[in-house]
Amino acid sequence: GTKKKAACPGLGLIYTILSAFLFSVASLFLKKLEDVHSVEVSAFRCVFQMAFILPGLIYYKTGFLGPKDKRIFLFLRGFLGSTAMVLLYYAYQVMPLADATVITFTCPVFTSLLAWIFLKEKYSLWDLLFTLFAVTGVILIARPPFLFGSHVTGIEGSYSDHVQGTIAAIASTISAASTIVILRKVGKSVHFFLSIWYYAVIGLIGCVIALFVLNEWRLPHCGRDRVFLVLIGLLGLGGQIFLTKALQIEKAGPVAIMRTMDVVFAFILQILFLDHLPTWWTVGGALCVVASSSGTALRKWRQSVKKAKEREI
């Protein structure tokens, strides 16, 4: 459908930058949390989303289950989306903020690959090239010993934690890409509020079960950590709102490219507030991943513009 024109030029891109900033600050607060498991943080995030989405469901009269033929897709969307959130939060906690953020930007590449497999969308040599760039960027960040030797510098904690964080970030990215493919499959037949509702409810149920199994459920001991939990929920919600607004008034391609500001903010916040200088390996990996994700987004944008012109003709 046609998109509404922005009230002023570049407003959608400004919304995107604000969204990137809020998401980055939320990630910083997550790094500052002490003795709170990533699953518990995810549970609090789901509670915030449910609280803000519930009035929308009632107002738009969407129901709580959705169409019968779409429920399996909604369930998968909720399960994979919440899994991506938990894994990402874990990656933020055990590896440098910039490293985890950069890995998440391989999502467009994995989305193209999964869409080719499951939705039969076109996958060209350009897509393969962007995939290789993304894989190269992840390797530069992970720095496996069989390629870089046994002495790896510039990481947080032990190298095993760094590897586990890298695996979690990659798994989170694949889960997020799978979620996007499912949302494409569902299309506009389901209200986006209902999609977020499934994400929050299934995520909360899964997190509560996991917390009791892991015996990790505890309230933060100090007031600062409790404030951080609330801020993570509010900032994450604000980031989603600004990103949604940006996509409503701006084409998806420029928004996807501008979202790479997440990486810039992650580097800045890591240096200023976490006192952790990124290595040149991380910078090189970031350049590879940003080039890959930007190239993928730009190519998809050009394809959509070309198809729109063909339809007009």
Side-chain angles (χ1 to χ4, degrees), residues 194-244:
L194 191 60
S195 173
I196 300 175
W197 173 255
Y198 266 81
Y199 167 77
V201 171
I202 293 174
L204 179 60
I205 294 173
C207 288
V208 170
I209 294 173
L211 285 170
F212 279 104
V213 171
L214 297 172
N215 195 26
E216 289 286 349
W217 175 261
R218 65 175 70 89
L219 285 175
H221 296 297
C222 70
R224 189 192 70 164
D225 283 352
R226 297 178 186 181
V227 172
F228 282 163
L229 277 175
V230 174
L231 289 176
I232 288 170
L234 291 176
L235 290 169
L237 183 66
Q240 283 188 332
I241 291 173
F242 277 119
L243 184 59
T244 302

Side-chain angles (χ1 to χ4, degrees), residues 78-99:
F79 176 76
L80 291 170
S82 56
T83 300
M85 175 178 59
V86 173
L87 291 172
L88 179 60
Y89 283 1
Y90 174 77
Y92 279 142
Q93 288 186 330
V94 300
M95 66 187 304
L97 178 63
D99 291 18

Side-chain angles (χ1 to χ4, degrees), residues 98-99 102-103 106 132-143 148 263 267 278-292:
D99 291 18
V102 168
I103 292 176
T106 59
L132 293 176
F133 259 92
V135 171
T136 301
V138 173
I139 291 174
L140 291 176
I141 291 171
R143 281 164 283 162
F148 294 84
V263 177
F267 274 95
T279 65
W280 286 110
W281 295 115
T282 298
V283 174
L287 292 175
C288 288
V289 171
V290 168
S292 172

Side-chain angles (χ1 to χ4, degrees), residues 66-128:
K68 288 185 178 180
D69 59 332
K70 303 296 182 184
R71 288 175 187 173
I72 182 63
F73 295 111
L74 288 169
F75 174 82
L76 288 173
R77 181 266 184 274
F79 176 76
L80 291 170
S82 56
T83 300
M85 175 178 59
V86 173
L87 291 172
L88 179 60
Y89 283 1
Y90 174 77
Y92 279 142
Q93 288 186 330
V94 300
M95 66 187 304
L97 178 63
D99 291 18
T101 303
V102 168
I103 292 176
T104 63
F105 273 82
T106 59
C107 186
V109 177
F110 285 115
T111 302
S112 297
L113 183 60
L114 293 175
W116 171 58
I117 295 172
F118 294 105
L119 301 181
K120 309 303 179 184
E121 293 186 4
K122 186 178 179 181
Y123 191 81
S124 67
L125 288 175
W126 278 108
D127 294 309
L128 178 60

